[in-house]
Amino acid sequence: MCIRDSRTILPGAGRKWSHAHRDKGVETPPSEHDEEHDDDDLRELPWQVVGIMSGDMLNQLRRHREHHDHTIDMATSGRGLPSIQQLGSLSEEPPFGEPNPLEMAEKGLISAKFAEQLKAAVEANKWDEVVSLYALAMARRFGDSAPEWKEAFFRVRTARAYRHLGKFKQATKQVELALGKFPRYKRGILEQALILLEAPPHPPFDSTASLGQRHRNTGTAVQHLESI
């Protein structure tokens, strides 16, 4: 086993290397070779011949090494690093939970009358109407508590409605807007997974033919995930 000084332009060779001997801290008894290092065989060291061919190539290698060392120095000192965008909230679910339409009214997210309209539209699978109602809910900003969470919640519910309509591109956009502020939002991540599961494997995204319709087993899995 051999070791070398790594701070060279070219890989070290010959006497740039030295034999690695047994660590003094190791309790195993040393061998005769470990006790006497003067007789190290130089033929055991890694020797090589590197053809640089010209002075220009040598200067290029030198500049590459200087740039490499400068980049490392800048990084270790915290200078010249790329800016990191805001990571968003670490919260995983809204403070008001995941209520159904009637519970939304009880928690002050929407009015009681609005909740009845939304409930009727969901139960009748009128997803176009559901999309319009959630858009209206976001525009009205009913109540004052957790406005950003309410927007994210409504966007994920809107994405669900778009998914049922087979409009996967619009559904994806709504989920991405929600996860942009709350990247750990569990229901948002789940909805994103369901969109990918149901969307056709090739564009265009807007299609009424879902993967759940083409594969009965997958459709059953989607129904199970939605019930969670």
Side-chain angles (χ1 to χ4, degrees):
M1 178 179 178
C2 302
I3 57 175
R4 72 176 179 88
D5 177 13
S6 61
R7 295 186 66 83
T8 54
I9 296 175
L10 297 175
R15 292 180 182 273
K16 292 290 185 180
W17 292 74
S18 62
H19 286 80
H21 300 282
R22 189 185 305 275
D23 188 355
K24 295 181 180 179
V26 178
E27 296 182 357
T28 54
S31 64
E32 295 180 358
H33 182 72
D34 293 324
E35 293 177 352
E36 298 179 0
H37 301 162
D38 295 336
D39 60 348
D40 286 343
D41 191 347
L42 297 181
R43 292 174 299 178
E44 295 177 352
L45 299 177
W47 294 90
Q48 60 183 331
V49 176
V50 178
I52 298 177
M53 309 305 291
S54 68
D56 290 340
M57 179 60 70
L58 180 61
N59 289 330
Q60 184 177 349
L61 291 171
R62 183 182 294 111
R63 287 193 294 270
H64 279 310
R65 183 61 197 229
E66 290 174 352
H67 175 71
H68 176 76
D69 292 342
H70 175 71
T71 302
I72 293 176
D73 292 339
M74 291 284 286
T76 53
S77 63
R79 294 174 294 163
L81 298 176
S83 59
I84 300 177
Q85 296 181 352
Q86 185 177 359
L87 297 178
S89 172
L90 300 180
S91 301
E92 297 180 350
E93 56 186 23
F96 43 78
E98 295 289 340
N100 60 41
L102 295 182
E103 291 172 340
M104 292 180 201
E106 295 174 2
K107 295 177 181 291
L109 301 179
I110 55 179
S111 66
K113 182 178 179 181
F114 196 92
E116 291 290 347
Q117 291 179 292
L118 184 58
K119 179 176 180 292
V122 171
E123 291 178 349
N125 293 328
K126 296 180 179 179
W127 300 111
D128 280 320
E129 185 177 344
V130 172
V131 169
S132 299
L133 289 171
Y134 278 128
L136 187 59
M138 283 188 281
R140 285 183 176 180
R141 297 186 177 276
F142 185 82
D144 297 324
S145 59
E148 290 189 342
W149 257 121
K150 281 195 291 188
E151 180 183 342
F153 170 78
F154 288 141
R155 288 196 183 281
V156 170
R157 294 303 176 101
T158 302
R160 177 174 179 263
Y162 274 131
R163 175 168 57 82
H164 282 295
L165 290 169
K167 297 181 178 180
F168 301 107
K169 186 175 182 179
Q170 292 90 326
T172 299
K173 181 178 180 180
Q174 292 297 318
V175 169
E176 288 177 347
L177 288 171
L179 293 179
K181 293 184 178 179
F182 300 97
R184 297 190 181 188
Y185 184 10
K186 291 180 180 178
R187 185 69 199 190
I189 296 171
L190 175 60
E191 186 59 43
Q192 191 174 50
L194 292 173
I195 293 168
L196 293 173
L197 191 64
E198 291 191 49
H202 302 292
F205 287 95
D206 294 331
S207 172
T208 56
S210 69
L211 188 139
Q213 293 170 333
R214 295 193 299 271
H215 302 285
R216 182 174 56 188
N217 293 337
T218 305
T220 303
V222 170
Q223 291 175 4
H224 172 69
L225 289 171
E226 284 193 317
S227 65
I228 297 175

